[in-house]
Amino acid sequence: MLIAAVKLTDIGARAFFVLIVLYSLSARLSGQFGLALTLIGFFSFFSGYERYIDLQRVLVGKTASEGDVLIRSVLRFFGLNYLLWLPVLAVLLHWWVQLTPLAVALWLLIALGEHFANEAYRMALVTHRHRHVLLVGLAKNLVLVSTVAYASFAKRLDCEQLLIIWATLSTLAITVSVGMFILRSIPATPSQKSMAFGLIEQYRRSRTHFLIGLVAVTSLQIDRLVAGGFLTLENSGVYFRHIFLASSTYQVFGVVSHNRIMVRIYGSMLAGKPSEVRSIIRREQWRYVPLTLGLIGFILLAGPVAARDVAAFSTIVPHYLAVLMLAYLVRGIADYNSMILNAVYAERQIFKSQLITVLLTTTCSILLTPLFGLPGLIVAVLAGTTIYFLLTGAFARRMINLKMKEEQP
């Protein structure tokens, strides 16, 4: 619960920071900021290579020193990927987002800090001994959001100064976190050192997870790439204001619900108790769905008032935001299905679902956005999450039914 609370606070601080920036900057700068964040998300994915899934499963039951050996080998793996993908990110930021060389350099430091923070959280879920790294990330984001909130309130928010502060804090956070990890690491015996993953071995072990994740992250982010590619920077800035509000709620529920029950789902499936898995997920859905629907209703009722009375919200269309919230609700329910499939190593079914989803969503987005603008893109997002929900639901029900037959005496 402590890890969930820390991460929830961390996500809240980061989300608040992003929203302050998006609503404080001009529409064009918001478009650049949102597109840069999207590219950083892809950088984090390619650098991480979805190693956390295999690592989490392997770390369960390991001693502290054995866990440190495995973590160190994964950190070396990340270092190699940084060398591969940082130049690609730099080119995209300069060419596509139209940033200056200084801004590109600052965004690269920010990208490293964001990826490191995400991976630290995933490791801390199963190695609580290193959860202090989460506190470093939380402190960074609290300082960042406080600084930006003050600058915005004082109407002194400058984009270049913002990037300098963010990059500086990210660099400090990485330095402190790595130093604390080194100090707290436990020396390994020769036999334990042999457990370390080789670089090629790590690519092999996470190849399937990477392919699944590649399709998954594309299905979640394709709308933002389409917005950056088919809309003007001004209009894409308006879209990013909507989508980041909706996705922030999805992230919160991911921490308080999905990540909280993940270990229980894996454990129950491993113990051959599919009926228990079904009960756990049903209880979560009874909490998750009504809360989100209530929030959507509040947006529809209070949104027009906020848009009229608050200048920063004048570009928010409540119906757009409500539809995007509904899309992320559907996606959140589908994530329960994916959790079941992951628990029984049925990654191929997830991959099939994701691949079909991303192909259809991309097609819809590319066809509808040039014709209808923002409404067309938003409809495509809802269609994509619905397709994913239906596909994963069919696979998960089949798997649960098979396991329940095995459970019966």
Side-chain angles (χ1 to χ4, degrees):
M1 287 299 294
L2 177 61
I3 291 178
V6 170
K7 187 58 180 178
L8 187 59
T9 305
D10 184 53
I11 287 177
R14 188 182 184 280
F16 193 39
F17 158 72
V18 171
L19 292 174
I20 289 175
V21 174
L22 286 175
Y23 287 102
S24 298
L25 298 176
S26 66
R28 179 181 175 81
L29 288 176
S30 293
Q32 288 181 308
F33 185 81
L35 185 54
L37 281 180
T38 301
L39 293 177
I40 281 180
F42 276 96
F43 166 81
S44 293
F45 170 75
F46 281 100
S47 295
Y49 201 75
E50 296 294 83
R51 278 297 298 139
Y52 76 94
I53 298 176
D54 177 64
L55 182 63
Q56 285 176 335
R57 293 193 300 205
V58 173
L59 283 174
V60 173
K62 293 291 188 295
T63 65
S65 55
E66 290 171 341
D68 287 346
V69 169
L70 296 173
I71 290 174
R72 281 193 289 268
S73 64
V74 172
L75 291 177
R76 288 192 292 271
F77 177 79
F78 291 155
L80 173 61
N81 286 335
Y82 290 158
L83 295 177
L84 294 175
W85 295 111
L86 278 174
V88 177
L89 177 61
V91 171
L92 291 173
L93 288 171
H94 180 66
W95 170 72
W96 191 2
V97 190
Q98 303 173 27
L99 297 178
T100 64
L102 174 60
V104 169
L106 295 173
W107 273 109
L108 294 182
L109 291 174
I110 291 167
L112 291 174
E114 293 299 299
H115 175 254
F116 190 87
N118 289 334
E119 296 299 335
Y121 165 62
R122 289 162 172 169
M123 293 179 190
L125 287 173
V126 288
T127 57
H128 294 183
R129 196 168 54 84
H130 292 299
R131 60 188 178 186
H132 57 277
V133 177
L134 297 180
L135 299 177
V136 176
L138 175 60
K140 180 203 75 174
N141 282 335
L142 288 176
V143 172
L144 182 62
V145 71
S146 300
T147 303
V148 170
Y150 172 78
S152 177
F153 180 77
K155 300 187 183 300
R156 297 176 181 174
L157 186 61
D158 178 83
C159 194
E160 185 174 297
Q161 291 178 350
L162 161 68
L163 294 180
I164 292 173
I165 294 171
W166 194 1
T168 301
L169 290 174
S170 296
T171 304
L172 286 174
I174 292 176
T175 303
V176 172
S177 297
V178 171
M180 294 177 71
F181 174 78
I182 293 173
L183 290 175
R184 292 176 62 91
S185 290
I186 298 176
T189 64
S191 61
Q192 290 173 336
K193 290 180 180 179
S194 65
M195 296 174 56
F197 295 124
L199 294 176
I200 301 301
E201 180 188 6
Q202 294 191 64
Y203 283 113
R204 179 185 58 79
R205 291 178 66 96
S206 292
R207 182 175 58 246
T208 301
H209 294 136
F210 170 76
L211 293 174
I212 293 171
L214 176 61
V215 180
V217 74
T218 303
S219 68
L220 281 172
Q221 302 282 343
I222 189 62
D223 59 307
R224 304 177 195 193
L225 295 179
V226 170
F230 288 87
L231 299 174
T232 64
L233 282 173
E234 288 76 11
N235 284 334
S236 63
V238 173
Y239 179 72
F240 285 128
R241 289 172 179 172
H242 286 80
I243 198 66
F244 275 105
L245 270 175
S247 62
S248 295
T249 305
Y250 172 73
Q251 283 185 303
V252 169
F253 281 121
V255 174
V256 300
S257 180
H258 299 101
N259 291 349
R260 181 173 55 82
I261 68 170
M262 177 190 65
V263 176
R264 293 166 58 196
I265 295 297
Y266 287 176
S268 296
M269 290 300 289
L270 184 63
K273 299 178 181 178
S275 56
E276 184 176 297
V277 170
R278 179 175 285 178
S279 298
I280 293 171
I281 290 178
R282 282 178 177 172
R283 284 196 301 270
E284 288 301 309
Q285 289 177 341
W286 274 109
R287 299 166 182 167
Y288 179 51
V289 175
L291 282 173
T292 306
L293 291 177
L295 187 55
I296 291 173
F298 176 78
I299 289 169
L300 291 174
L301 292 174
V305 177
R308 185 180 66 246
D309 296 339
V310 182
F313 293 161
S314 60
T315 56
I316 289 293
V317 180
H319 289 84
Y320 289 177
L321 184 57
V323 173
L324 289 171
M325 289 285 296
L326 179 62
Y328 276 104
L329 169 61
V330 175
R331 176 71 192 205
I333 298 174
D335 285 342
Y336 292 118
N337 300 329
S338 300
M339 200 180 301
I340 293 172
L341 296 173
N342 262 326
V344 295
Y345 294 81
E347 289 92 352
R348 290 187 180 274
Q349 282 81 355
I350 300 177
F351 180 70
K352 291 177 184 177
S353 301
Q354 294 281 12
L355 183 59
I356 295 172
T357 299
V358 75
L359 290 175
L360 293 177
T361 304
T362 302
T363 303
C364 289
S365 300
I366 293 175
L367 290 175
L368 295 177
T369 304
L371 292 174
F372 303 104
L374 284 179
L377 181 55
I378 291 170
V379 169
V381 172
L382 178 59
T385 57
T386 302
I387 292 168
Y388 183 63
F389 164 71
L390 294 174
L391 291 172
T392 56
F395 285 127
R397 281 192 300 273
R398 184 186 305 172
M399 193 62 63
I400 285 289
N401 290 335
L402 288 174
K403 291 295 182 180
M404 290 189 73
K405 288 180 182 179
E406 296 176 2
E407 186 182 26
Q408 295 174 355

